[in-house]
Amino acid sequence: MPAEAQVETPAERPPVPVAKPPAPPLAQPALPRPAVPQTARTAAPAAADPARSAHIAGLDWDELEAEIRACKACRLCEKRRQAVPGVGDRQARWLFVGEGPGAEEDQRGEPFVGAAGRLLDNMLAALGLKRGEGVYIANAVKCRPPHNRTPEADEIATCLPFLERQIALIQPQLIVVLGRPAAQALLGTETGIGAARGKRFDYRGIPLVVTYHPAYLLRNQADKAKAWEDLCFARRRLAESGSSGQG
């Protein structure tokens, strides 16, 4: 009789080696994300072209006004009717600097001729002053921004050499800036009118006073009293410099 077959039991069967799962790869440290450059929010307008600024700085009055009227250095020239250099006494003691021409100014070629201009004339009269007599009126930008929007910082910077040359030619004894864009142009920094009112600023040794733009005052009648305070402050600053407030 044949021998019985030998059958391996599970206990007797040699264990089958089981392959170990591969170890997970070591986690790589997260690489730092490259910094995204942030657009610099500089309060001061960008520097103007030095060669252009030097050229404008050497112009006389007639040359300067001709250069302003022919200027195409920024986008504001595209939709203007005409540039508006300024108006008044070229040897003025008082220099008033506004924001930019509006629709009526763009049509007539003279700053402050609309409702805001009439209010400015009343403000001058309250000081014993008159347009064109001891007073010069200019703007931070010489061309009307479309839809009377606020001038952009680069537009203010492009026009600044014109205003700087006007100031150098006039040599005023006091500067009154009307509104934020004008303050930004001459102070080189963004500043709120409320924060700047009543403070003692100087532009290249010339006393400078900040107040509201007449167009703002037409919309905010309650602030007219504050504007009058600013004008009285301006008159005191002029008196302190040893000058008369009369034109």
Side-chain angles (χ1 to χ4, degrees):
M1 198 172 165
E4 295 184 0
Q6 298 296 317
V7 179
E8 289 182 310
T9 66
E12 295 172 335
R13 188 178 300 152
V16 177
V18 178
K20 293 183 180 181
L26 295 176
Q28 296 295 323
L31 296 176
R33 293 183 179 180
V36 178
Q38 300 293 319
T39 302
R41 292 179 59 87
T42 176
D49 174 59
R52 177 173 173 268
S53 297
H55 166 70
I56 293 172
L59 301 178
D60 63 24
W61 267 113
D62 292 338
E63 293 168 337
L64 177 63
E65 293 200 348
E67 190 98 0
I68 291 171
R69 295 186 191 281
C71 181
K72 294 185 178 180
C74 81
R75 68 184 76 88
L76 292 184
C77 71
E78 297 170 2
K79 296 186 178 181
R80 75 184 182 203
R81 190 183 191 93
Q82 60 185 313
V84 182
V87 67
D89 187 342
R90 291 180 174 181
Q91 295 179 322
R93 291 175 175 173
W94 293 72
L95 171 62
F96 289 81
V97 181
E99 176 178 316
E104 290 189 58
E105 289 82 2
D106 183 51
Q107 186 172 14
R108 294 174 54 179
E110 182 177 334
F112 286 95
V113 295
R118 291 189 290 274
L119 178 55
L120 178 60
D121 288 341
N122 291 338
M123 295 164 69
L124 295 176
L127 290 168
L129 301 172
K130 186 177 180 181
R131 184 186 293 241
E133 297 180 6
V135 173
Y136 194 91
I137 301 170
N139 278 310
V141 297
K142 310 305 186 187
C143 299
R144 180 196 178 198
H147 310 295
N148 289 349
R149 65 165 171 77
T150 300
E152 300 289 346
D154 64 318
E155 296 164 349
I156 293 173
T158 301
C159 234
L160 183 58
F162 290 140
L163 180 58
E164 290 177 330
R165 184 56 181 160
Q166 287 176 312
I167 295 172
L169 289 169
I170 297 168
Q171 298 185 5
Q173 294 171 0
L174 179 78
I175 301 172
V176 179
V177 293
L178 305 167
R180 185 178 59 81
Q184 177 181 339
L186 293 183
L187 296 179
T189 182
E190 286 192 9
T191 181
I193 299 303
R197 289 182 58 246
K199 291 189 176 178
R200 292 176 172 270
F201 296 106
D202 291 273
Y203 172 80
R204 299 181 182 180
I206 303 169
L208 184 149
V209 171
V210 176
T211 191
Y212 297 104
H213 193 284
Y216 168 86
L217 296 174
L218 290 174
R219 302 189 302 269
N220 299 270
Q221 300 280 334
D223 285 335
K224 284 185 176 181
K226 295 180 181 178
W228 174 241
E229 292 174 0
D230 298 335
L231 294 178
C232 291
F233 175 55
R235 185 163 55 187
R236 289 196 302 273
R237 290 212 64 189
L238 188 62
E240 289 170 4
S241 70
S243 304
S244 169
Q246 300 300 314

